[in-house]
């Protein structure tokens, strides 16, 4: 199974809502990533988890809160978002993180709209 | 801020023709260079990960080369087919401390194959 799954596919939320994005992989990968992609721009790295520990936080606002409950699951908790946070949120995993030579497997993304 | 540049931004190619495009990246602190193919409504799919200067990789009709000293990589597609239509992203891993930093993506080359 080389699939990374993400739920939900689409999410519309108000600025006062709390919601969560979920990502799952069963490839035994020990690194998982969250990226944000705005229209006509490249994916931008938000967070990296390595062996279930947060390794990189690219100065992401605290209204985004990642969580890695186990090696297969990665969540992104959302609270008090702004309309400019509307984007495609991609999850990815790779065999390892500290060694950059491993390809990343991406999920299909969650299309988030903040109203 | 790392600069990963891809050119051209978009490309129209006749079916059966061969084509190539470029990714340029910082030549210092190089760790790895990734190429991904991203078709509309699908997940980005890894094509190649290259780590050594002079690396050449091939997958079917697609191949890539790497020059870490001058900071560029070429992606070649031989005998383009309609199914090659996609956005091709390159991504750069910088060496940071004991290992790789997170991926920095270029904006991509949007390839359209015309029958």
């Amino acid at each position: 199974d080389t699939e990374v799954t993400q739920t939900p596919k689409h999410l519309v939320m108000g600025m006062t809502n709390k919601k969560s994005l979920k990502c799952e992989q069963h490839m035994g990968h020990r690194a998982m990533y969250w990226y944000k992609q705005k229209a006509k721009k490249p994916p931008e790295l938000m967070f990296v988890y390595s062996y279930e520990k947060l390794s990189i936080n690219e100065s992401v606002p605290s209204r985004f809160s990642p969580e890695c409950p186990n090696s297969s699951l990665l969540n992104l908790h959302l609270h008090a978002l702004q309309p400019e946070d509307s984007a495609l949120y991609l999850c990815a995993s790779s065999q390892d993180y500290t060694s950059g030579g491993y390809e990343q497997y991406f999920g299909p993304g969650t299309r988030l709209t903040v109203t | 801020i790392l600069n990963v540049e891809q050119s051209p931004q978009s490309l129209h190619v006749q079916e059966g023709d061969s084509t190539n495009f470029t990714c340029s990246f910082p030549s210092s602190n190089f760790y790895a260079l990734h190429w991904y193919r991203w078709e509309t409504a699908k997940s980005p799919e890894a094509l190649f990960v290259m780590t050594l200067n002079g690396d050449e990789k091939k997958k079917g009709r697609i191949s890539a080369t790497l020059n870490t000293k001058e900071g560029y990589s070429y992606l070649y597609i031989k005998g383009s087919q309609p199914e090659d239509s996609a956005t091709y992203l390159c991504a750069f891993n910088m060496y940071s401390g004991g290992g790789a930093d997170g991926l920095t993506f270029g904006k991509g080359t949007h390839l359209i194959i015309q029958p």
Side-chain angles (χ1 to χ4, degrees):
Chain A
D1 180 8
T2 58
E3 196 181 12
V4 175
T5 58
Q6 287 187 245
T7 54
K9 283 193 165 68
H10 300 275
L11 178 63
V12 179
M13 61 186 287
M15 289 190 283
T16 57
N17 291 159
K18 281 187 185 180
K19 296 283 184 185
S20 297
L21 310 185
K22 184 178 169 183
C23 173
E24 197 164 358
Q25 57 88 13
H26 295 287
M27 294 176 275
H29 288 172
R30 303 319 300 260
M32 295 186 79
Y33 311 79
W34 279 115
Y35 291 88
K36 174 182 176 179
Q37 199 245 344
K38 304 272 280 183
K40 299 190 191 298
K41 298 217 168 163
E44 288 180 5
L45 183 67
M46 299 174 72
F47 302 105
V48 180
Y49 271 83
S50 177
Y51 290 82
E52 299 156 53
K53 289 191 175 2
L54 184 64
S55 291
I56 289 184
N57 175 343
E58 291 284 3
S59 303
V60 179
S62 60
R63 56 186 185 268
F64 294 91
S65 174
E67 180 199 16
C68 190
N70 60 57
S71 59
S72 300
L73 275 177
L74 185 66
N75 297 321
L76 186 63
H77 303 298
L78 313 171
H79 173 55
L81 294 194
Q82 303 296 310
E84 59 264 28
D85 296 321
S86 298
L88 180 70
Y89 288 84
L90 290 163
C91 172
S93 70
S94 66
Q95 191 171 329
D96 198 348
Y97 157 64
T98 52
S99 169
Y102 293 106
E103 60 193 5
Q104 293 187 16
Y105 291 77
F106 283 83
T110 293
R111 176 73 60 189
L112 174 69
T113 304
V114 181
T115 59
Chain B
I1 296 175
L2 296 176
N3 222 15
V4 179
E5 300 282 347
Q6 290 189 247
S7 63
Q9 277 188 11
S10 66
L11 192 52
H12 288 69
V13 174
Q14 284 296 123
E15 183 178 351
D17 287 352
S18 296
T19 187
N20 65 85
F21 25 92
T22 309
C23 173
S24 62
F25 52 86
S27 54
S28 57
N29 297 322
F30 174 85
Y31 202 103
L33 193 282
H34 300 227
W35 280 101
Y36 291 86
R37 174 170 59 203
W38 196 357
E39 294 178 67
T40 304
K42 293 190 177 180
S43 312
E45 174 199 356
L47 291 173
F48 308 111
V49 181
M50 296 182 285
T51 56
L52 296 175
N53 184 44
D55 254 355
E56 290 187 25
K57 298 233 172 171
K58 189 173 179 191
K59 188 185 280 192
R61 294 178 291 98
I62 304 177
S63 60
T65 61
L66 179 68
N67 182 323
T68 60
K69 293 186 182 195
E70 294 180 43
Y72 64 83
S73 174
Y74 293 131
L75 190 82
Y76 300 90
I77 302 178
K78 190 175 173 184
S80 304
Q81 299 297 309
E83 59 265 27
D84 296 328
S85 296
T87 296
Y88 291 82
L89 293 167
C90 77
F92 170 73
N93 265 132
M94 187 175 74
Y95 181 81
S96 175
D101 208 343
L103 283 179
T104 298
F105 281 86
K107 289 185 179 178
T109 291
H110 184 51
L111 177 65
I112 297 169
I113 307 301
Q114 295 167 322

